[in-house]
mmCIF file of all heavy atoms in Angstrom:
data_model
loop_
_atom_site.group_PDB
_atom_site.id
_atom_site.type_symbol
_atom_site.label_atom_id
_atom_site.label_comp_id
_atom_site.label_asym_id
_atom_site.label_seq_id
_atom_site.Cartn_x
_atom_site.Cartn_y
_atom_site.Cartn_z
ATOM 1 N N VAL W 201 1.939 -120.501 11.786
ATOM 2 C CA VAL W 201 1.538 -120.458 10.349
ATOM 3 C C VAL W 201 1.919 -121.852 9.781
ATOM 4 O O VAL W 201 2.952 -122.365 9.962
ATOM 5 C CB VAL W 201 2.173 -119.380 9.529
ATOM 6 C CG1 VAL W 201 1.831 -119.408 8.072
ATOM 7 C CG2 VAL W 201 1.870 -118.013 10.208
ATOM 8 N N ALA W 202 0.995 -122.387 8.894
ATOM 9 C CA ALA W 202 1.405 -123.591 8.096
ATOM 10 C C ALA W 202 2.049 -123.189 6.791
ATOM 11 O O ALA W 202 1.598 -122.284 6.172
ATOM 12 C CB ALA W 202 0.007 -124.426 7.864
ATOM 13 N N PHE W 203 3.030 -123.924 6.373
ATOM 14 C CA PHE W 203 3.775 -123.552 5.156
ATOM 15 C C PHE W 203 3.808 -124.766 4.274
ATOM 16 O O PHE W 203 3.878 -125.899 4.598
ATOM 17 C CB PHE W 203 5.162 -123.097 5.495
ATOM 18 C CG PHE W 203 5.352 -121.859 6.222
ATOM 19 C CD1 PHE W 203 5.465 -121.918 7.552
ATOM 20 C CD2 PHE W 203 5.274 -120.700 5.551
ATOM 21 C CE1 PHE W 203 5.487 -120.641 8.329
ATOM 22 C CE2 PHE W 203 5.396 -119.420 6.321
ATOM 23 C CZ PHE W 203 5.444 -119.473 7.658
ATOM 24 N N GLU W 204 3.689 -124.454 2.979
ATOM 25 C CA GLU W 204 3.849 -125.484 1.922
ATOM 26 C C GLU W 204 4.681 -124.759 0.883
ATOM 27 O O GLU W 204 4.290 -123.747 0.379
ATOM 28 C CB GLU W 204 2.404 -125.846 1.360
ATOM 29 C CG GLU W 204 2.426 -126.781 0.237
ATOM 30 C CD GLU W 204 1.068 -127.191 -0.254
ATOM 31 O OE1 GLU W 204 0.168 -127.354 0.516
ATOM 32 O OE2 GLU W 204 0.945 -127.193 -1.568
ATOM 33 N N VAL W 205 5.888 -125.331 0.487
ATOM 34 C CA VAL W 205 6.671 -124.690 -0.494
ATOM 35 C C VAL W 205 7.008 -125.466 -1.705
ATOM 36 O O VAL W 205 7.046 -126.726 -1.540
ATOM 37 C CB VAL W 205 8.051 -124.128 0.161
ATOM 38 C CG1 VAL W 205 7.771 -123.270 1.333
ATOM 39 C CG2 VAL W 205 9.003 -125.274 0.502
ATOM 40 N N HIS W 206 7.051 -124.844 -2.833
ATOM 41 C CA HIS W 206 7.297 -125.565 -4.055
ATOM 42 C C HIS W 206 8.411 -124.969 -4.822
ATOM 43 O O HIS W 206 8.324 -123.792 -5.216
ATOM 44 C CB HIS W 206 6.041 -125.632 -4.952
ATOM 45 C CG HIS W 206 4.944 -126.301 -4.239
ATOM 46 N ND1 HIS W 206 4.888 -127.760 -4.109
ATOM 47 C CD2 HIS W 206 3.857 -125.900 -3.524
ATOM 48 C CE1 HIS W 206 3.844 -128.063 -3.440
ATOM 49 N NE2 HIS W 206 3.128 -126.973 -3.090
ATOM 50 N N ASN W 207 9.571 -125.625 -4.959
ATOM 51 C CA ASN W 207 10.798 -125.079 -5.590
ATOM 52 C C ASN W 207 10.799 -125.463 -7.109
ATOM 53 O O ASN W 207 11.459 -126.259 -7.619
ATOM 54 C CB ASN W 207 11.883 -125.655 -4.885
ATOM 55 C CG ASN W 207 13.253 -125.080 -5.328
ATOM 56 O OD1 ASN W 207 13.218 -123.934 -5.930
ATOM 57 N ND2 ASN W 207 14.387 -125.637 -5.017
ATOM 58 N N TYR W 208 9.796 -124.804 -7.848
ATOM 59 C CA TYR W 208 9.749 -125.044 -9.275
ATOM 60 C C TYR W 208 9.229 -123.778 -9.988
ATOM 61 O O TYR W 208 8.685 -122.882 -9.390
ATOM 62 C CB TYR W 208 8.911 -126.346 -9.632
ATOM 63 C CG TYR W 208 7.474 -126.380 -9.154
ATOM 64 C CD1 TYR W 208 6.546 -125.499 -9.601
ATOM 65 C CD2 TYR W 208 7.033 -127.387 -8.370
ATOM 66 C CE1 TYR W 208 5.205 -125.542 -9.259
ATOM 67 C CE2 TYR W 208 5.696 -127.521 -7.919
ATOM 68 C CZ TYR W 208 4.801 -126.499 -8.399
ATOM 69 O OH TYR W 208 3.514 -126.615 -7.952
ATOM 70 N N ASN W 209 9.315 -123.915 -11.364
ATOM 71 C CA ASN W 209 8.809 -122.835 -12.252
ATOM 72 C C ASN W 209 7.433 -123.241 -12.710
ATOM 73 O O ASN W 209 7.220 -124.264 -13.416
ATOM 74 C CB ASN W 209 9.813 -122.753 -13.452
ATOM 75 C CG ASN W 209 9.409 -121.703 -14.528
ATOM 76 O OD1 ASN W 209 8.340 -121.139 -14.383
ATOM 77 N ND2 ASN W 209 10.316 -121.482 -15.403
ATOM 78 N N ILE W 210 6.419 -122.268 -12.270
ATOM 79 C CA ILE W 210 5.028 -122.710 -12.603
ATOM 80 C C ILE W 210 4.767 -122.702 -14.075
ATOM 81 O O ILE W 210 3.668 -123.112 -14.564
ATOM 82 C CB ILE W 210 4.004 -121.808 -11.927
ATOM 83 C CG1 ILE W 210 4.160 -120.337 -12.353
ATOM 84 C CG2 ILE W 210 4.139 -121.872 -10.276
ATOM 85 C CD1 ILE W 210 2.890 -119.597 -12.120
ATOM 86 N N THR W 211 5.631 -122.087 -14.893
ATOM 87 C CA THR W 211 5.298 -121.897 -16.295
ATOM 88 C C THR W 211 5.557 -123.116 -17.154
ATOM 89 O O THR W 211 5.225 -123.205 -18.415
ATOM 90 C CB THR W 211 5.978 -120.654 -16.982
ATOM 91 O OG1 THR W 211 7.408 -120.957 -17.016
ATOM 92 C CG2 THR W 211 5.653 -119.426 -16.190
ATOM 93 N N THR W 212 6.289 -124.245 -16.645
ATOM 94 C CA THR W 212 6.385 -125.366 -17.419
ATOM 95 C C THR W 212 5.161 -126.200 -17.319
ATOM 96 O O THR W 212 4.455 -126.100 -16.326
ATOM 97 C CB THR W 212 7.623 -126.177 -16.931
ATOM 98 O OG1 THR W 212 7.313 -126.661 -15.632
ATOM 99 C CG2 THR W 212 8.819 -125.392 -16.807
ATOM 100 N N VAL W 213 4.924 -127.051 -18.280
ATOM 101 C CA VAL W 213 3.602 -127.742 -18.445
ATOM 102 C C VAL W 213 3.405 -128.614 -17.263
ATOM 103 O O VAL W 213 2.277 -128.466 -16.594
ATOM 104 C CB VAL W 213 3.553 -128.664 -19.696
ATOM 105 C CG1 VAL W 213 2.298 -129.392 -19.753
ATOM 106 C CG2 VAL W 213 3.679 -127.715 -20.989
ATOM 107 N N GLU W 214 4.307 -129.330 -16.776
ATOM 108 C CA GLU W 214 4.158 -130.326 -15.679
ATOM 109 C C GLU W 214 3.972 -129.487 -14.384
ATOM 110 O O GLU W 214 2.989 -129.809 -13.660
ATOM 111 C CB GLU W 214 5.474 -131.228 -15.670
ATOM 112 C CG GLU W 214 5.703 -131.923 -14.359
ATOM 113 C CD GLU W 214 7.232 -132.245 -14.241
ATOM 114 O OE1 GLU W 214 8.065 -131.733 -15.161
ATOM 115 O OE2 GLU W 214 7.582 -132.866 -13.287
ATOM 116 N N HIS W 215 4.732 -128.521 -14.135
ATOM 117 C CA HIS W 215 4.550 -127.791 -12.952
ATOM 118 C C HIS W 215 3.359 -126.893 -12.916
ATOM 119 O O HIS W 215 2.719 -126.716 -11.837
ATOM 120 C CB HIS W 215 5.804 -126.856 -12.662
ATOM 121 C CG HIS W 215 6.966 -127.696 -12.453
ATOM 122 N ND1 HIS W 215 8.253 -127.388 -12.969
ATOM 123 C CD2 HIS W 215 7.163 -128.905 -11.742
ATOM 124 C CE1 HIS W 215 9.095 -128.265 -12.596
ATOM 125 N NE2 HIS W 215 8.600 -129.215 -11.852
ATOM 126 N N PHE W 216 2.870 -126.435 -14.124
ATOM 127 C CA PHE W 216 1.694 -125.651 -14.171
ATOM 128 C C PHE W 216 0.565 -126.406 -13.640
ATOM 129 O O PHE W 216 -0.341 -125.952 -12.907
ATOM 130 C CB PHE W 216 1.468 -125.185 -15.534
ATOM 131 C CG PHE W 216 0.217 -124.301 -15.742
ATOM 132 C CD1 PHE W 216 0.184 -123.045 -15.179
ATOM 133 C CD2 PHE W 216 -0.945 -124.785 -16.322
ATOM 134 C CE1 PHE W 216 -0.934 -122.180 -15.215
ATOM 135 C CE2 PHE W 216 -1.999 -124.007 -16.410
ATOM 136 C CZ PHE W 216 -2.071 -122.739 -15.879
ATOM 137 N N GLU W 217 0.463 -127.763 -14.141
ATOM 138 C CA GLU W 217 -0.667 -128.571 -13.674
ATOM 139 C C GLU W 217 -0.622 -128.767 -12.168
ATOM 140 O O GLU W 217 -1.602 -128.804 -11.451
ATOM 141 C CB GLU W 217 -0.589 -129.912 -14.352
ATOM 142 C CG GLU W 217 -1.343 -129.757 -15.715
ATOM 143 C CD GLU W 217 -1.261 -131.072 -16.571
ATOM 144 O OE1 GLU W 217 -1.049 -132.101 -16.073
ATOM 145 O OE2 GLU W 217 -1.316 -130.894 -17.779
ATOM 146 N N HIS W 218 0.559 -129.022 -11.601
ATOM 147 C CA HIS W 218 0.718 -129.171 -10.210
ATOM 148 C C HIS W 218 0.283 -127.900 -9.406
ATOM 149 O O HIS W 218 -0.399 -127.998 -8.400
ATOM 150 C CB HIS W 218 2.106 -129.596 -9.819
ATOM 151 C CG HIS W 218 2.225 -130.047 -8.400
ATOM 152 N ND1 HIS W 218 2.712 -129.250 -7.360
ATOM 153 C CD2 HIS W 218 1.891 -131.208 -7.790
ATOM 154 C CE1 HIS W 218 2.638 -129.873 -6.225
ATOM 155 N NE2 HIS W 218 2.263 -131.108 -6.470
ATOM 156 N N PHE W 219 0.722 -126.757 -9.959
ATOM 157 C CA PHE W 219 0.386 -125.513 -9.382
ATOM 158 C C PHE W 219 -1.161 -125.361 -9.384
ATOM 159 O O PHE W 219 -1.749 -125.038 -8.278
ATOM 160 C CB PHE W 219 1.031 -124.374 -10.366
ATOM 161 C CG PHE W 219 0.584 -122.953 -9.935
ATOM 162 C CD1 PHE W 219 0.862 -122.355 -8.689
ATOM 163 C CD2 PHE W 219 -0.214 -122.244 -10.917
ATOM 164 C CE1 PHE W 219 0.347 -121.054 -8.497
ATOM 165 C CE2 PHE W 219 -0.591 -120.971 -10.643
ATOM 166 C CZ PHE W 219 -0.360 -120.348 -9.442
ATOM 167 N N MET W 220 -1.830 -125.631 -10.493
ATOM 168 C CA MET W 220 -3.292 -125.605 -10.540
ATOM 169 C C MET W 220 -3.878 -126.493 -9.458
ATOM 170 O O MET W 220 -4.821 -126.077 -8.757
ATOM 171 C CB MET W 220 -3.746 -126.111 -11.928
ATOM 172 C CG MET W 220 -3.531 -125.163 -13.083
ATOM 173 S SD MET W 220 -4.921 -124.085 -13.443
ATOM 174 C CE MET W 220 -6.089 -125.228 -14.061
ATOM 175 N N SER W 221 -3.391 -127.662 -9.272
ATOM 176 C CA SER W 221 -4.011 -128.615 -8.251
ATOM 177 C C SER W 221 -3.745 -128.083 -6.888
ATOM 178 O O SER W 221 -4.593 -128.284 -5.954
ATOM 179 C CB SER W 221 -3.422 -130.000 -8.459
ATOM 180 O OG SER W 221 -2.222 -130.207 -7.800
ATOM 181 N N ARG W 222 -2.565 -127.401 -6.674
ATOM 182 C CA ARG W 222 -2.390 -126.880 -5.207
ATOM 183 C C ARG W 222 -3.319 -125.637 -4.957
ATOM 184 O O ARG W 222 -3.713 -125.419 -3.823
ATOM 185 C CB ARG W 222 -0.861 -126.527 -5.073
ATOM 186 C CG ARG W 222 0.040 -127.729 -4.983
ATOM 187 C CD ARG W 222 -0.529 -128.910 -4.301
ATOM 188 N NE ARG W 222 -0.744 -128.747 -2.874
ATOM 189 C CZ ARG W 222 -1.620 -129.379 -2.110
ATOM 190 N NH1 ARG W 222 -2.458 -130.288 -2.718
ATOM 191 N NH2 ARG W 222 -1.776 -129.109 -0.882
ATOM 192 N N ILE W 223 -3.536 -124.824 -6.057
ATOM 193 C CA ILE W 223 -4.507 -123.773 -5.867
ATOM 194 C C ILE W 223 -5.883 -124.313 -5.479
ATOM 195 O O ILE W 223 -6.572 -123.730 -4.607
ATOM 196 C CB ILE W 223 -4.482 -122.863 -7.177
ATOM 197 C CG1 ILE W 223 -3.112 -122.260 -7.450
ATOM 198 C CG2 ILE W 223 -5.569 -121.759 -7.086
ATOM 199 C CD1 ILE W 223 -2.485 -121.411 -6.352
#
Side-chain angles (χ1 to χ4, degrees):
Chain W
V201 179
F203 293 94
E204 177 182 317
V205 307
H206 299 285
N207 189 13
Y208 60 58
N209 179 351
I210 65 155
T211 67
T212 66
V213 176
E214 163 202 4
H215 294 140
F216 181 71
E217 274 174 28
H218 191 262
F219 170 66
M220 288 267 290
S221 83
R222 294 319 296 153
I223 298 307

